[in-house]
Amino acid sequence: MHLEKYQIAAFNEPLLDLHQKGFNYIASTIPNTEAIIEKLRAFQIAIPSWALGAGGTRFARFGIGGEPRNLEEKIMDVGLLHALNRSSGAISLHIPWDIPTNPAHLKAVAAQLGITFDAMNSNTFQDQPGQAHSYKFGSLQHVEAHTRNQAIDHNIEVINYGIELGSQSLSVWLADGSCFPGQLNFRKAFQHTLAGLQEIYKALPENWKMFVEYKAFEPNFYSTTVGDWGQSLLYANKLGPKAYTLVDLGHHLPNANIEQIVSLLLMEGKLGGFHFNDSKYGDDDLTVGSIKPYQLFLIFNELIDGMDANGMEHATDLGWMIDASHNVKDPLEDLLQSVEAIMIAYAQALLIDRKQLAEAQKMNDVVRAQEMLQQAFRTDVRPLVAEARLRDGGALKPLASYRAAEIRKNLISERGSVSVATGL
């Protein structure tokens, strides 16, 4: 299914007058409106290939119909999202769920839709059919060298797929760890993992980055070999200048101060990118901004402050990606909601007068500093985000347009009601 420009224009037509009134109002109250809009237009969030079908829990998976049956259809689905919001211009692949058997053709399909290939993701947390050695007791940390070597070879294979597609980064998330005290020698597990990552690092092209992701728990519940941002940073520092820490918002214990973590990683030049989601209890993979929108805003406040201090380009110097999986929503609707929440939080953080905030902090004016942040957070920036979309040919209301176009109904008609996406 394709969305043509005339269809989106037709959805926008009855909304234009009301949008213009809202935009004129906010533009009259913000001195740097045009600069913010240009930053919003440049900002792109990669869509993970595994989030395009119905997700699952450890107990069950409930299909939705019309799920993409192959990688080309996944790219087409990202094209639908991007046509609507103009901020989903990349896809992130997971190998071996999405092995590109015809890279040249896939690149051509993606280019027609304005889609690029973001970070490649390896998978050593599952045993695949025909796999020689099991990852039941770990991959890069494994006590047996042949299992560690198998995991190294897989990651290098993923890099090679990425080279063919034009990707420039590799994300490594390891389920390695232990469930019971005494199961694992922590030092040896760290050393084995580091040695494996060093071999993978050697295979990176010169212009590539490696993102080392961390997670406090699950599927191992006593220890994880990359358990927090400090351990990830330790690996990244030991690996070299092409290695960075990747922050998944759900991969933290409750009440962790994620905004402080990203601030310090930026200070050290070791923040590589983000997996956006939201959570109430643990790694819930909920819709971005659905539970803790103020936290998301505070994270963007620190991101903008740190990136500006380092002279970094907001849109391109970090990796931005959603990582979510749902049973109860149409995944494309969920992704539209997530991208919207990210763009809103980014726009709100762009409202902050950095000079005045620094002055308040210097004077220990706690009340003034708090009021500045909360004023930005309470500002309805949706007209700014919509204007950025409109200027790039997107929908003023992407979710409403998605429903008006009956996209899920059409996908079911094309692909059937029992199609199942590869991955989770």
Side-chain angles (χ1 to χ4, degrees):
M1 181 182 178
H2 294 275
L3 273 177
E4 302 294 344
K5 291 182 178 180
Y6 75 86
Q7 293 175 282
I8 294 175
F11 294 138
N12 287 341
E13 180 62 32
L15 306 172
L16 286 173
D17 287 345
L18 185 60
H19 163 72
Q20 196 62 51
K21 291 177 182 177
F23 174 70
N24 289 343
Y25 171 76
I26 194 170
S28 70
T29 64
I30 299 173
N32 58 338
T33 303
E34 288 301 316
I36 291 175
I37 289 174
E38 290 309 305
K39 287 183 181 296
L40 292 171
R41 293 177 69 185
F43 203 77
Q44 298 293 315
I45 300 108
I47 303 299
S49 61
W50 60 93
L52 296 164
T57 69
R58 61 176 59 89
F59 302 111
R61 181 186 187 278
F62 301 94
I64 58 166
E67 296 184 40
R69 297 162 295 185
N70 51 55
L71 180 49
E72 182 173 346
E73 289 184 353
K74 291 184 178 185
I75 295 171
M76 298 293 289
D77 282 4
V78 177
L80 291 170
L81 297 176
H82 190 50
L84 289 165
N85 64 27
R86 305 310 300 166
S87 299
S88 304
I91 184 171
S92 185
L93 304 190
H94 215 298
I95 306 299
W97 297 341
D98 297 303
I99 292 177
T101 55
N102 190 340
H105 172 69
L106 293 173
K107 286 176 70 176
V109 171
Q112 289 178 345
L113 301 170
I115 305 298
T116 61
F117 290 91
D118 199 73
M120 304 293 292
N121 297 262
S122 57
N123 181 341
T124 61
F125 53 85
Q126 288 178 319
D127 287 349
Q128 305 300 327
Q131 182 176 309
H133 308 292
S134 176
Y135 294 134
K136 179 177 181 178
F137 296 108
S139 58
L140 293 182
Q141 75 168 29
H142 204 281
V143 295
E144 298 290 347
H146 50 63
T147 305
R148 300 196 299 271
N149 290 334
Q150 176 181 268
I152 292 168
D153 291 343
H154 168 69
N155 276 274
I156 293 173
E157 176 189 26
V158 173
I159 292 171
N160 291 332
Y161 283 131
I163 292 171
E164 292 183 296
L165 292 170
S167 173
Q168 294 186 345
S169 53
L170 170 72
S171 289
V172 180
W173 175 69
L174 302 170
D176 294 17
S178 63
C179 285
F180 298 97
Q183 176 183 337
L184 193 68
N185 183 297
F186 295 145
R187 288 182 294 102
K188 290 181 180 178
F190 183 93
Q191 291 162 353
H192 286 324
T193 302
L194 176 61
L197 289 172
Q198 286 171 331
E199 291 302 310
I200 298 165
Y201 186 89
K202 291 177 185 176
L204 291 174
E206 189 60 34
N207 61 336
W208 272 52
K209 296 178 180 179
M210 176 191 285
F211 301 143
V212 182
E213 190 172 355
Y214 59 89
K215 190 174 185 180
F217 68 95
E218 193 188 39
N220 285 289
F221 294 95
Y222 177 62
S223 73
T224 45
T225 302
V226 195
D228 57 32
W229 70 277
Q231 293 175 55
S232 173
L233 177 61
L234 190 59
Y235 282 114
N237 281 336
K238 289 179 178 294
L239 288 169
K242 294 186 287 187
Y244 299 85
T245 291
L246 186 141
V247 175
D248 183 304
L249 298 189
H251 287 193
H252 299 85
L253 297 174
N255 302 317
N257 192 326
I258 303 174
E259 53 267 37
Q260 185 178 25
I261 293 170
V262 302
S263 174
L264 297 178
L265 287 171
L266 273 169
M267 180 183 72
E268 292 299 302
K270 280 297 184 178
L271 179 62
F274 270 83
H275 280 179
F276 288 105
N277 48 51
D278 211 338
S279 66
K280 178 67 174 177
Y281 301 106
D283 185 26
D284 303 337
D285 274 354
L286 299 177
T287 311
V288 182
S290 61
I291 306 293
K292 304 169 187 172
Y294 191 53
Q295 181 191 62
L296 181 64
F297 161 76
L298 293 175
I299 290 168
F300 266 106
N301 172 50
E302 296 299 336
L303 284 169
I304 291 172
D305 183 75
M307 294 184 77
D308 288 351
N310 291 341
M312 300 169 68
E313 291 290 334
H314 294 184
T316 56
D317 284 350
L318 291 181
W320 312 104
M321 197 188 85
I322 294 169
D323 184 6
S325 177
H326 299 278
N327 253 324
V328 298
K329 286 183 177 178
D330 178 330
L332 297 185
E333 291 190 342
D334 173 74
L335 289 164
L336 288 172
Q337 289 181 307
S338 286
V339 171
E340 179 82 351
I342 294 167
M343 300 302 289
I344 287 172
Y346 177 46
Q348 289 169 329
L350 287 169
L351 299 181
I352 298 169
D353 187 319
R354 299 283 152 189
K355 184 177 180 180
Q356 289 192 29
L357 180 59
E359 289 175 357
Q361 292 167 340
K362 186 176 181 180
M363 297 298 294
N364 292 316
D365 192 339
V366 182
V367 171
R368 182 185 174 201
Q370 178 186 337
E371 286 297 305
M372 290 181 64
L373 293 186
Q374 292 191 344
Q375 175 62 32
F377 176 68
R378 291 167 178 158
T379 301
D380 185 358
V381 297
R382 287 177 296 176
L384 288 179
V385 176
E387 179 67 18
R389 281 197 300 268
L390 184 64
R391 294 186 186 185
D392 285 333
L396 284 171
K397 294 188 175 182
L399 182 56
S401 298
Y402 176 90
R403 290 193 166 189
E406 298 185 316
I407 288 178
R408 180 55 57 186
K409 179 180 178 181
N410 281 282
L411 291 175
I412 292 172
S413 177
E414 290 179 8
R415 302 169 183 173
S417 59
V418 294
S419 61
V420 177
T422 54
L424 294 175

